Amino acid sequence: MIPVTCFVDQKVAVLGLGRSGLATARALLAGGAVPVVWDDSAEAREAAQAEGFEISDLGRNGAFDGVAALITSPGIPHLYPEPNRVIAAALKAGVPVDNDIGLFFRSFANDDWDGFDTTPRVIAVTGSNGKSTTTALIHHILEVAGRPCQMAGNIGRGVLDIDPGIDGEVIVLELSSYQTELARSLTPDIAVFTNLSPDHLDRHHGMGGYFAAKRRLFAEGGPDRAVIGVDEVEGQFLAGQMAEGPQDDRVIRISSGQKLEGFGWSVFVRKGFLSEWRKGRQVASIDLRAIAGLPGAHNHQNACAAYAAVRSLGIGPKVIEQALRSFGGLPHRSQLVGERDGVRFVNDSKATNVDSAAKALQAFARIRWIAGGMGKEGGIKGLVPYLGAVAKAYLIGHSARDFALELGDTPYELCETMAVAVERAAAEAEAGDVVLLAPAAASFDQYPNFEKRGDDFCACVKVSLGG
């Protein structure tokens, strides 16, 4: 646990008692604060009360009298589409609003660091797609290199739930736009921006607000090193803002597809080969084509981001290459879950939007595509240019019929359920085919989250394979 010591003997309100909320309350208590907590869920309140926390309805009149700060869970809206009633009351009362990420950056350093040979470092990763894989890949490389490390944030443990930093340790954080948007302190040593595509637009009131939330990770704290994907105009803009000029190697530009030779430091992939360039010359190269845990251009971009981040720490290319080859990938993200008679079954349930599904569809040569669920605004029209490798689509869930109308000449079958889709795709697949779950939709019509949807796919594949 990271004790939060900046509110000693002060009352601090905590809104939302999920994983991060309870960890925040514990960290505040450990640091000498007096937490008062609230959640609209009676079950969550009971769990907090069982730990001894004071329950207080933060929506009542006068709830913020004598309160030093409100710490809110990331998923609770504070501005758009409209502020939560409790946050609105705090803002009206002039009470500062923060989240656990802000508290982490204010609390991570402690007096023990004075005796360390190497100060602990923090790498923070944000972006629309690839955050989790990039974060896990950085963590994996650090482990292979023998560096002490922990992983937290939007993946793994809550940021305040990790252990205090030790000599030479690296903390790797995945941060969503919900987390970066509100944190009052954002001071990573290395900040990583993977890419940007439309998502969470209602929460951020459009693409401008969404990009602004991501940009705060770089603008608020001024990281020592910025690793920035420049395959979209927003990344190019951000790199331009952070660098003093093209030779400023505090900014490492990364790309999956573009040659980036005219900069002080860049890492890019062309035709499956990762190249590192510094001051006008190539200094390292890695063949990514045969690395099973990183298929497709989108994973090659993740490899570039992770490579650049750990190179900033001085880890050598040969160690990085060894780690890339042993990386098994994350569940629900281009996860190979089975193979039979030359047919592979790949779970990319995390592909919940058009952009991430497009990347998955470009990763394989011949696809039996399982898609559908709770469709998002715009449907799947944006995927039409990427359907060339799709032999047939097997559509499930609420938006199956809507998706069918947008497939053009691509053959399809309305399957409704995952079990039927997997059974039909497996029966029709031929050697060399990939049965790919890349839904391009949310899961909430049939599943509580994308993880449960991916688990169901894996279970259905196991049945299909006779396991």
Side-chain angles (χ1 to χ4, degrees), residues 15 20 72-78 80 84 87 99 176 178-179 203:
L15 176 64
S20 67
T72 180
S73 292
I76 301 174
H78 59 274
Y80 303 113
N84 173 277
I87 295 176
N99 61 19
S176 72
Y178 291 6
Q179 293 169 310
R203 168 69 178 259

Side-chain angles (χ1 to χ4, degrees), residues 1-10 24-34:
M1 180 191 300
I2 306 296
V4 175
T5 58
C6 49
F7 294 107
V8 176
D9 295 331
Q10 297 182 77
T24 297
R26 296 179 191 122
L28 285 163
L29 185 64
V34 182

Side-chain angles (χ1 to χ4, degrees), residues 162-365:
I162 67 172
D163 301 325
I166 62 174
D167 196 338
E169 189 166 31
V170 182
I171 308 301
V172 192
L173 304 180
E174 178 193 340
L175 299 182
S176 72
S177 58
Y178 291 6
Q179 293 169 310
T180 58
E181 183 180 39
L182 193 60
R184 293 173 68 90
S185 179
L186 284 167
T187 54
D189 298 284
I190 301 168
V192 179
F193 176 85
T194 58
N195 51 58
L196 197 78
S197 61
D199 211 357
H200 311 305
L201 299 189
D202 57 339
R203 168 69 178 259
H204 299 295
H205 206 58
M207 278 294 286
Y210 181 45
F211 177 50
K214 301 286 190 185
R215 180 182 172 277
R216 290 191 76 246
L217 182 63
F218 298 81
E220 296 297 315
D224 296 334
R225 190 82 64 185
V227 176
I228 301 176
V230 294
D231 287 336
E232 294 87 27
V233 66
E234 291 88 356
Q236 296 165 22
F237 177 81
L238 181 59
Q241 284 201 312
M242 297 298 294
E244 293 296 328
Q247 298 305 310
D248 185 351
D249 65 3
R250 295 174 303 171
V251 174
I252 308 177
R253 292 166 171 83
I254 64 167
S255 172
S256 176
Q258 296 184 66
K259 234 176 174 181
L260 303 173
E261 299 176 356
F263 300 99
W265 200 346
S266 63
V267 180
F268 59 89
V269 173
R270 292 272 291 173
K271 299 180 180 179
F273 285 85
L274 182 151
S275 297
E276 178 187 3
W277 282 67
R278 300 194 70 170
K279 297 181 179 178
R281 66 185 186 91
Q282 182 174 312
V283 298
S285 177
I286 298 174
D287 185 353
L288 301 178
R289 293 173 298 175
I291 298 180
L294 296 167
H298 59 305
N299 276 308
H300 291 174
Q301 184 188 58
N302 299 335
C304 287
Y307 180 100
V310 297
R311 284 291 281 143
S312 298
L313 298 173
I315 295 175
K318 289 185 178 179
V319 174
I320 299 172
E321 180 174 3
Q322 177 190 351
L324 294 180
R325 295 193 182 284
S326 63
F327 181 64
L330 287 178
H332 316 299
R333 297 161 177 87
S334 298
Q335 176 193 12
L336 179 63
V337 297
E339 186 170 354
R340 182 183 64 188
D341 299 332
V343 176
R344 289 176 290 163
F345 295 80
V346 175
N347 168 24
D348 205 341
S349 183
K350 185 64 169 64
T352 58
N353 58 38
V354 164
D355 187 71
S356 54
K359 290 178 169 59
L361 291 173
Q362 294 174 78
F364 306 102

